[in-house]
Amino acid sequence: MERDPAGHDAEFNRISQSEWDPCLTLFSDANVNQCWGYGSVKWGADNSEHVVLKKGGAVRALAQVAIIRSHLAGIGIAYVTWGPLWKRKDLHGNDSSLRAMLEVLKEEYAHRRKLMLRIRPFGFDEMDGEMRSVLEGAGFLPTKGMFRESKRTILVDLRYPPEDKRRRLSKKCRNSQI
């Protein structure tokens, strides 16, 4: 376990799947790409790692990290897709957890293991402008086309019946025969 100056403790691969999955429900930015099962299938169980950031014993951020190695080229990538998770439902407006997790990820994967660290965050520039500034402040550079609209994922709340979802569309979309 590593501790940063702000009192965050980082744990690497010390959590089980039965502990990880319930932790996802703490975060409003939780998504399928950070689910244990998804990582095991997409990247392989041996290539998925799990980082937990705690403060005062409470989980503050999570990151499922895919490790991709090219033995021919002798390089590797630590890849966080649609993460890290840092938006606790009960702690609004607290970007210190994101800052701390980015530092933990950089230290472990880029500095200690000498892997290229790539983070594809969950969120969009127009919805979460602070996220981009935190990433850039931590030394991350946006890749070309990262915030293009053509790369967007649209989230639809499935709790409502189809007729309610249709009623919320604009008139033009609602009357479309798609």
Side-chain angles (χ1 to χ4, degrees):
M1 186 177 320
E2 296 178 23
R3 177 167 281 202
D4 75 358
H8 292 96
D9 296 313
E11 298 176 355
F12 295 88
N13 300 313
R14 293 180 57 195
I15 190 169
S16 68
Q17 181 175 0
S18 63
E19 295 168 311
W20 179 268
D21 291 340
C23 283
L24 294 177
T25 65
L26 300 172
F27 296 89
S28 62
D29 54 347
N31 61 85
V32 69
N33 293 280
Q34 289 292 307
C35 291
W36 190 293
Y38 177 88
S40 294
V41 171
K42 173 78 175 174
W43 307 108
D46 292 340
N47 299 321
S48 296
E49 297 191 4
H50 299 86
V51 183
V52 178
L53 188 73
K54 294 181 177 180
K55 186 170 185 178
V59 174
R60 291 298 182 98
L62 299 172
Q64 178 167 251
V65 183
I67 306 297
I68 306 161
R69 296 192 185 275
S70 170
H71 297 292
L72 295 175
I75 59 171
I77 300 172
Y79 189 29
V80 181
T81 57
W82 294 98
L85 306 181
W86 61 280
K87 293 183 178 182
R88 288 262 321 223
K89 293 175 183 176
D90 59 342
L91 299 173
H92 298 289
N94 182 3
D95 65 10
S96 67
S97 296
L98 175 59
R99 291 178 200 282
M101 179 59 95
L102 292 173
E103 290 305 317
V104 162
L105 293 171
K106 281 181 4 183
E107 181 59 35
E108 176 66 19
Y109 295 102
H111 299 150
R112 195 176 78 67
R113 297 196 203 180
K114 307 292 187 221
L115 298 170
M116 181 175 82
L117 176 59
R118 180 165 184 167
I119 295 180
R120 182 175 181 146
F122 180 78
F124 304 105
D125 220 16
E126 64 276 5
M127 289 171 51
D128 197 346
E130 82 176 303
M131 178 185 59
R132 185 174 188 163
S133 67
V134 170
L135 285 163
E136 288 175 352
F140 289 88
L141 303 172
T143 58
K144 185 177 180 182
M146 185 171 177
F147 293 101
R148 289 192 325 226
E149 288 188 29
S150 64
K151 292 243 179 200
R152 254 193 200 164
T153 298
I154 303 300
L155 304 175
V156 178
D157 190 340
L158 298 176
R159 292 178 291 184
Y160 301 101
E163 56 275 6
D164 286 353
K165 289 187 286 227
R166 188 172 196 63
R167 188 173 32 251
R168 292 176 182 185
L169 295 171
S170 70
K171 185 177 180 180
K172 183 177 179 179
C173 290
R174 188 172 47 242
N175 295 325
S176 165
Q177 296 297 316
I178 297 176

